[in-house]
């Protein structure tokens, strides 16, 4: 009788950790693995200008900065949650919104379970409070507008239609895609400042 094997649902990380995607443990999460992965995941499916893709690592740093501009007196804990808002993508990639809608599983729940494990690993609440979630989403959408108009070929009018107009409280960033090693270093440096 042939031995039945269960499909592998874990990812081996460069740190040596083995992260179970269906039941992620905070003990299997390392910031170096997150930074390494996010620096190599392209926003906009890689359809951006420049010699390198604009990475999720750079996007996370930008969203943390925009969050702080929208609400200057945020705690370090809140800013760390903003930095980690897309951290689950170090394992599952950055699926564009239209594809997420088409996936046959409850993708958001899957993403949130992994993000909860990441938060717990770094001493954060499993889920961001609702008001912070709303703030992070506002910064995330503003980031998408700036990325769309500066890197992904959208006109300002088209970007406004999809993402709205960014708050006047935000300074327009100058975006330039970095090489993966530089994006990784940028993300880690920001993480270390927020956790110092």
């Amino acid at each position: 009788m042939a031995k039945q094997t269960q499909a592998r649902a874990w990812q081996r990380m460069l740190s040596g950790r083995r992260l179970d995607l269906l039941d992620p443990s905070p003990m299997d999460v390392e910031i170096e693995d997150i930074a390494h992965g996010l620096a190599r995941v392209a926003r906009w499916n890689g359809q951006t200008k420049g010699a390198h893709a604009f990475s999720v690592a750079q996007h996370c740093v930008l969203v943390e900065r925009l969050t702080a501009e929208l609400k200057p007196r945020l705690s370090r804990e809140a800013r760390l949650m903003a930095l980690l808002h897309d951290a689950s993508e170090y394992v599952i990639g950055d699926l564009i919104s239209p594809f997420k809608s088409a996936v046959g599983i409850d993708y958001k729940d899957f993403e949130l379970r992994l993000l909860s494990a990441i938060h717990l690993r770094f001493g954060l609440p499993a889920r961001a409070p609702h008001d912070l979630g709303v703030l992070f989403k506002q910064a995330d959408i503003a980031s998408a507008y700036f990325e769309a108009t500066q890197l992904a070929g959208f006109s300002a009018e088209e970007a406004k239609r999809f993402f709205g107009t960014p708050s006047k409280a935000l300074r327009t960033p100058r975006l330039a895609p970095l090489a993966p090693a530089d994006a990784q270093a940028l993300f880690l440096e920001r993480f270390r400042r927020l956790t110092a």
Side-chain angles (χ1 to χ4, degrees):
M1 184 175 195
K3 182 181 176 182
Q4 274 201 321
T5 57
Q6 189 175 7
R8 178 173 69 92
W10 53 267
Q11 168 74 45
R12 180 165 309 280
M13 301 296 158
L14 289 179
S15 66
R17 298 283 188 190
R18 194 167 85 170
L19 183 68
D20 184 335
L21 299 179
L22 299 177
D23 187 22
S25 167
M27 298 307 296
D28 292 324
V29 174
E30 297 293 340
I31 195 60
E32 290 80 8
D33 292 331
I34 293 172
H36 182 88
L38 293 182
R40 287 155 179 78
V41 174
R43 293 272 296 162
W44 306 93
N45 276 348
Q47 299 299 309
T48 52
K49 299 173 185 172
H52 304 286
F54 189 76
S55 71
V56 175
Q58 282 186 266
H59 166 76
C60 287
V61 171
L62 176 59
V63 167
E64 185 266 329
R65 188 192 108 196
L66 296 174
T67 298
E69 286 181 17
L70 289 168
K71 194 161 185 181
R73 290 195 170 93
L74 275 180
S75 69
R76 280 184 182 216
E77 179 181 84
R79 291 180 72 167
L80 181 58
M81 282 190 272
L83 180 70
L84 296 172
H85 81 282
D86 277 342
S88 61
E89 295 178 6
Y90 88 106
V91 177
I92 58 178
D94 182 24
L95 297 182
I96 58 174
S97 296
F99 187 71
K100 285 180 184 178
S101 299
V103 173
I105 62 170
D106 186 348
Y107 189 82
K108 195 66 182 166
D109 182 60
F110 180 70
E111 225 174 8
L112 287 174
R113 268 187 284 149
L114 186 50
L115 189 57
S116 291
I118 292 166
H119 275 202
L120 293 173
R121 170 65 176 87
F122 301 113
L124 300 169
R127 298 235 170 130
H130 178 74
D131 61 326
L132 284 180
V134 170
L135 179 64
F136 299 159
K137 191 66 180 169
Q138 184 182 2
D140 195 36
I141 291 170
S143 177
Y145 174 90
F146 294 130
E147 293 168 28
T149 55
Q150 292 183 40
L151 301 171
F154 284 59
S155 69
E157 294 75 29
E158 187 179 24
K160 283 178 190 172
R161 213 170 40 247
F162 288 108
F163 310 111
T165 304
S167 167
K168 293 190 185 321
L170 299 174
R171 294 176 308 207
T172 301
R174 298 185 79 191
L175 304 179
L178 298 174
D182 295 332
Q184 181 175 341
L186 176 71
F187 182 89
L188 282 172
E189 186 272 335
R190 197 68 207 123
F191 175 84
R192 290 183 176 128
R193 281 183 180 257
L194 292 170
T195 56

